[in-house]
Every structure is written in structure tokens, then in C-alpha cells.
Amino acid sequence: MSVRGVKYQDLSQRLAAIGIEQSADNLRNKVNKGIMGADLLLQILLVLKARPIDASVLEEILTDLNAY
């Protein structure tokens, strides 16, 4: 979101445009608490027009996360 300059309110509006109703506060809470479902994550990636990630990059990210 920060790379794209998207705030939670903007994200909420983009999700609403594809039929997903999530308030900005609800999205903020889910992100901060780490309780977002895979379906919502994929919908967010869609509306943010995220670039594809290949398996090697994903493995690197997961390795970095497990280091903490």
C-alpha cells in the first residue's frame, strides 16, 4: 500500500468497486493484528494491481519472516 500511495480509505473504496465491503477501520485492524484471510489478501493484491511474484522470491520472503 505504501509503495502505491494507497491509504486504508482508498483501499476500502477500491475493494467496494469489486463488491467487497470492508471499512477502512476494519482493514486497518486486520492488517495490524495479522488476521487477514487469504481470500482478502488476494482481493487486495488484485485492487492494488500488484506485480506477480515468482516462487523464489516468495521463498526468500518466507525465509526472512521465519528468521524473526
Side-chain angles (χ1 to χ4, degrees):
M1 289 173 53
S2 62
V3 169
R4 300 257 190 294
V6 175
K7 305 279 187 218
Y8 285 102
Q9 186 60 43
D10 301 327
L11 181 59
S12 176
Q13 292 169 349
R14 289 182 185 200
L15 287 169
I18 64 166
I20 309 302
E21 296 298 324
Q22 293 280 334
S23 70
D25 289 336
N26 191 27
L27 289 167
R28 185 178 299 106
N29 287 336
K30 287 182 178 188
V31 170
N32 290 338
K33 292 180 181 180
I35 57 171
M36 182 185 315
D39 55 341
L40 181 58
L41 174 61
L42 292 174
Q43 292 158 340
I44 289 171
L45 292 173
L46 174 69
V47 299
L48 291 178
K49 297 180 176 19
R51 63 181 170 82
I53 299 176
D54 64 37
S56 63
V57 173
L58 187 55
E59 285 179 34
E60 183 180 330
I61 292 169
L62 291 173
T63 301
D64 289 348
L65 288 173
N66 287 331
Y68 296 102

